[in-house]
Amino acid sequence: MSLQEVTLGVGCLDSQRLLANAKKTFAKLPKEIIDLGHVFAEAGYELALVGGPVRDAFLSLTPHDFDLTTNARPDTTEGLLEKWGAATWAVGKAFGTIGGRKNQLTVEITTYRTEAYEVGSRKPVVEYGDTLEGDLTRRDFTVNACAITLPDLKLVDPHNGLQDLANGVLRTPVSATQSFDDDPLRIMRAARFAAQLGIDVSEDVIAAMEEQAHRLEIVSAERIRAELERLIISPYPRRGLELMVYTGVCDIVLPEFSALRETVDEHNRHKDVYEHTLTVLDRAIALETDADGPVPGPDFTLRFAALMHDIGKPATRKFEADGTVSFHHHDYVGAKMTRKRMKALKFDKQTTEDVSELVKLHLRFHGYGDQSWTDSAVRRYVADAGHLLEYLHRITKADCTTRNRRKALYLETAYADLEKRISELKAQEELDSIRPDLDGSEIMELLGLTPGPEVGKAYKYLLELRMEHGPLGKEKAAELLKVWWNIPQ
């Protein structure tokens, strides 16, 4: 059962059903986990599975990450893991976490703790705790503050997280103000869980998000980016994004998106860009494929490009003399803004370039139906899209949100025709890897050149011919190149 199938009814599930789900799921725990529980118990220490794995088990999802907590200090934990037979690592030891691997099973065990940020600091200060209940109290939300003790598999739920999950509400174990003050990243996690679980957020949490949104400025860009990525690929990203905008969190994390609300036009001279963008996101998600398709969902690049595709509009909006509104070059402006924001959030280079390129290209199709494109124009469209062609198909289709049925049908028919022509040309010419009919070595031999700028110019000329006329063959290409280079025939 997928997460989406489960969370569709999360607010309607009763706690007894969720508990029954967990019992079935934990009955299938790897034997090594139970054995590890015995190792700790025999040494006089507590061990419990905690957080996400427990929450997911309530939703009939088999845990793949085994996050464990204990009253043993890190050095002791490391020794007990070795006794269990694991290879260990201590990368997170400063934060009380020791990792281990036995066979194909990986675990992370963290000493009971509390953590808080010092004023102005980007790194949490860690203090060890002594009780499981105390450790659960410092967790972010009640739905994540449940534990299953090992090896006896008993539920510990001091904050009624199971009932909150059944009711479909996100609360904090302590006051939301205190919780977010301890760790401001929880503000982003609230939005992420709204998107991931399809869950409502309590008024207490919403108020604290509004009051403390500015404290996200002390959290590292990498941690914020990680939460944003998880939100975007969740089953319900719109819920999380709307919550971020409503509480002002988006003004800190993704101000270019929240700024789209500024384009609302009380005279209705153009569509609501903010609502349009959320609709495009929904439509793009609906166009994702299964694992065997070209864009398996959930796909971050597709979704984030849909979210950012019109962020250049506020900066380019112009009221024309005839009463219309224009957003000239918002695609190029938006691409620059997207690249800048993604760099600030420390996204990897490839993802940044891919999303920015899709933002830049999202208008390329416009005008196709008004004036038939030449084969050369179709080739350029495919060449410019490159490996992002299937993504561009989906962004372009998702961007058609008009309520005018005749216009929608017209655009749908036009794009279907473009896809057909691309397919036909691809079959004829292997369009994915367009190259001139002569390579660099052949150009140099024919023109008597050595490596340098002149070879590049000749190569570009042949590529233009290839785009314009399709495959020419080496003999014809050589003939035209000589004429261009002014070599007597």
Side-chain angles (χ1 to χ4, degrees):
M1 187 178 293
S2 70
L3 179 59
Q4 186 166 359
E5 290 170 335
V6 173
T7 56
L8 283 171
V10 71
C12 305
L13 298 175
D14 63 80
S15 58
Q16 290 303 312
R17 179 180 169 188
L18 294 179
L19 193 57
N21 290 344
K23 288 180 178 178
K24 290 180 181 178
T25 302
F26 288 130
K28 302 175 184 178
L29 279 177
K31 179 179 179 297
E32 291 91 341
I33 288 291
I34 303 300
D35 291 344
L36 182 59
H38 283 293
V39 169
F40 272 74
E42 290 166 3
Y45 294 99
E46 300 171 2
L47 185 68
L49 191 65
V50 70
V54 179
R55 180 199 66 232
D56 289 347
F58 291 140
L59 300 174
S60 293
L61 298 171
T62 302
H64 296 291
D65 298 319
F66 293 96
D67 296 327
L68 300 155
T69 189
T70 181
N71 59 341
R73 296 302 190 252
D75 287 338
T76 302
T77 295
E78 192 169 10
L80 292 174
L81 279 171
E82 291 172 352
K83 182 178 180 181
W84 177 57
T88 64
W89 56 90
V91 174
K93 193 170 185 177
F95 298 98
T97 300
I98 304 294
R101 181 182 296 111
K102 181 178 180 180
N103 301 325
Q104 300 302 313
L105 183 69
T106 298
V107 298
E108 285 193 345
I109 305 177
T110 302
T111 300
Y112 297 158
R113 66 186 185 185
T114 59
E115 71 181 30
Y117 282 76
E118 292 183 344
V119 176
S121 172
R122 289 177 176 266
K123 295 183 178 181
V125 177
V126 176
E127 295 181 1
Y128 295 134
D130 296 311
T131 67
L132 177 57
E133 288 76 8
D135 182 85
L136 294 175
T137 296
R138 67 96 190 169
R139 301 274 166 171
D140 53 6
F141 303 104
T142 61
V143 297
N144 296 328
C146 303
I148 297 293
T149 60
L150 297 172
D152 52 356
L153 300 180
K154 290 183 178 179
L155 173 65
V156 180
D157 182 17
H159 303 287
N160 297 314
L162 175 61
Q163 189 61 54
D164 284 343
L165 188 61
N167 293 339
V169 62
L170 195 69
R171 293 190 307 109
T172 49
V174 295
S175 74
T177 297
Q178 179 183 336
S179 181
F180 295 166
D181 189 61
D182 288 343
D183 184 356
L185 185 65
R186 291 172 177 173
I187 297 169
M188 275 298 297
R189 288 172 66 83
R192 192 253 290 182
F193 281 119
Q196 180 179 326
L197 299 173
I199 200 169
D200 292 328
V201 178
S202 71
E203 293 182 6
D204 179 44
V205 170
I206 290 176
M209 290 176 73
E210 290 181 288
E211 292 169 4
Q212 299 197 50
H214 66 280
R215 296 200 69 233
L216 283 168
E217 294 173 352
I218 72 168
V219 182
S220 69
E222 290 84 355
R223 297 184 76 201
I224 290 177
R225 182 206 67 228
E227 290 298 329
L228 181 62
E229 284 181 305
R230 296 178 75 177
L231 185 158
I232 295 298
I233 62 171
S234 291
Y236 311 103
R238 182 173 183 145
R239 291 180 68 108
L241 290 164
E242 288 177 326
L243 179 61
M244 287 175 61
V245 171
Y246 179 79
T247 57
V249 171
C250 207
D251 294 339
I252 305 296
V253 176
L254 206 60
E256 298 83 359
F257 174 64
S258 58
L260 294 180
R261 293 174 301 166
E262 300 172 7
T263 62
V264 173
D265 179 11
E266 64 275 14
H267 300 294
N268 296 315
R269 285 164 291 188
H270 64 80
K271 67 179 67 175
D272 182 335
V273 183
Y274 172 70
E275 286 296 331
H276 163 74
T277 296
L278 289 172
T279 300
V280 172
L281 174 62
D282 289 338
R283 289 168 60 89
I285 292 171
L287 292 171
E288 290 174 336
T289 66
D290 59 21
D292 296 325
V295 186
D299 189 277
F300 176 82
T301 296
L302 176 69
R303 295 183 181 197
F304 203 58
L307 186 68
M308 304 294 277
H309 81 284
D310 271 351
I311 62 167
K313 281 190 170 181
T316 58
R317 183 169 69 164
K318 181 180 180 182
F319 294 97
E320 304 291 353
D322 61 1
T324 61
V325 180
S326 66
F327 301 96
H328 294 309
H329 308 300
H330 77 267
D331 43 351
Y332 285 87
V333 171
K336 291 180 180 179
M337 294 170 65
T338 297
R339 185 174 288 106
K340 182 178 180 180
R341 176 54 53 192
M342 293 185 73
K343 285 183 177 178
L345 288 171
K346 308 296 184 182
F347 278 93
D348 66 272
K349 183 177 180 180
Q350 187 63 59
T351 302
T352 299
E353 290 304 312
D354 286 351
V355 172
S356 302
E357 189 68 10
L358 285 169
V359 173
K360 186 178 77 173
L361 294 174
H362 82 272
L363 291 181
R364 283 291 301 274
F365 168 71
H366 287 222
Y368 176 83
D370 299 329
Q371 181 178 352
S372 181
W373 284 6
T374 63
D375 285 351
S376 174
V378 175
R379 292 187 189 100
R380 291 180 190 281
Y381 184 85
V382 174
D384 288 347
H387 70 282
L388 296 170
L389 181 62
E390 291 291 346
Y391 292 79
L392 184 57
H393 284 335
R394 284 157 177 78
I395 291 293
T396 302
K397 291 177 182 178
D399 196 25
C400 176
T401 62
T402 179
R403 295 181 180 180
N404 184 319
R405 295 182 64 182
R406 179 177 295 180
K407 183 178 180 181
L409 180 61
Y410 172 77
L411 291 171
E412 181 180 340
T413 302
Y415 205 82
D417 181 70
L418 175 58
E419 287 185 300
K420 179 182 177 183
R421 290 184 63 191
I422 289 172
S423 179
E424 291 171 348
L425 282 171
K426 183 180 293 188
Q428 296 169 12
E429 306 174 12
E430 297 181 358
L431 201 54
D432 285 333
S433 54
I434 293 177
R435 297 289 186 274
D437 294 277
L438 303 177
D439 62 24
S441 297
E442 291 168 323
I443 291 171
M444 288 189 289
E445 182 178 352
L446 183 67
L447 302 182
L449 298 174
T450 57
E454 298 299 333
V455 179
K457 292 178 183 179
Y459 185 92
K460 184 177 180 180
Y461 168 73
L462 288 177
L463 182 59
E464 292 288 335
L465 289 178
R466 175 71 172 77
M467 289 286 192
E468 189 67 33
H469 302 290
L472 299 171
K474 292 184 180 297
E475 184 176 339
K476 181 65 174 178
E479 178 183 331
L480 292 172
L481 182 61
K482 289 180 180 179
V483 172
W484 176 78
W485 194 253
N486 199 23
I487 296 178
Q489 301 295 307

